[in-house]
Amino acid sequence: MLTTDRIGGMVFLAFSLGYGYCTTLIPDYPGSEFEPVTAKTFPYLLSVLGCLVALCLLLAPTQQTTNTHVKKNTQPFNWYTTTALLVAMAVYGLIVEWLGFILATILFLIAGYRILGEKRIKVLLLASVPVVVIFWVFLTQVLDVYLTPGRVFDGLGG
């Protein structure tokens, strides 16, 4: 039986497989062939996890529902939110090289939370700044991944 969960699972599986293929195109740094963690490691993990989640959605048993239950739990697709998030992602892709990972990601998360309906400034800042800083520390200090500091700040720090 083809349900919305299975259709979503198929789309997510196709996306995860495409993402996994794109991770093979990430170039290795010279001398990193024998390192256990490279720039490809995290994208590979995301791709594998995405495939596993998609397979769970595809293989999970379907629930028998009545038409009234489906109508009650189904909401119309929110095109505004989806389009606004896609625009925010596109803008993030454009500004990350100029503003740097930390500032661009904080702005992207604040915009995303705002689009999803959060209006409290304190929550917006607490949900974005610590996450980005911890993620930046993990990527740069633990995984030794280079993240751009931003062209705007290149002139300030030398």
Side-chain angles (χ1 to χ4, degrees), residues 8-115:
M10 286 190 284
V11 170
F12 197 61
L13 180 63
F15 175 77
S16 296
L17 290 173
Y19 183 73
Y21 171 73
C22 289
T23 59
T24 62
L25 304 176
I26 296 173
D28 286 326
Y29 289 112
S32 68
E33 297 89 16
F34 303 109
E35 293 183 10
V37 178
T38 64
K40 294 180 180 179
T41 304
F42 192 61
Y44 275 133
L45 289 175
L46 284 177
S47 175
V48 169
L49 288 174
C51 289
L52 289 175
V53 169
L55 289 175
C56 287
L57 285 173
L58 288 172
L59 300 177
T62 59
Q63 295 179 348
Q64 297 294 333
T65 57
T66 61
N67 284 341
T68 58
H69 180 72
V70 171
K71 286 181 182 176
K72 193 167 78 177
N73 290 332
T74 306
Q75 297 177 357
F77 193 73
N78 192 343
W79 288 103
Y80 168 75
T81 303
T82 304
T83 304
L85 286 172
L86 289 174
V87 169
M89 284 190 276
V91 170
Y92 173 72
L94 293 173
I95 66 171
V96 70
E97 189 170 331
W98 289 94
L99 295 180
F101 175 80
I102 293 176
L103 188 56
T105 306
I106 288 172
L107 292 175
F108 170 70
L109 286 179
I110 288 173
Y113 294 140
R114 186 77 176 101
I115 290 168

Side-chain angles (χ1 to χ4, degrees), residues 120-142:
R120 296 170 289 178
I121 297 295
K122 187 184 286 184
V123 172
L124 290 173
L125 291 175
L126 287 175
S128 55
V129 174
V131 170
V132 171
V133 171
I134 291 170
F135 194 63
W136 178 83
V137 168
F138 178 73
L139 287 175
T140 59
Q141 305 303 312
V142 176

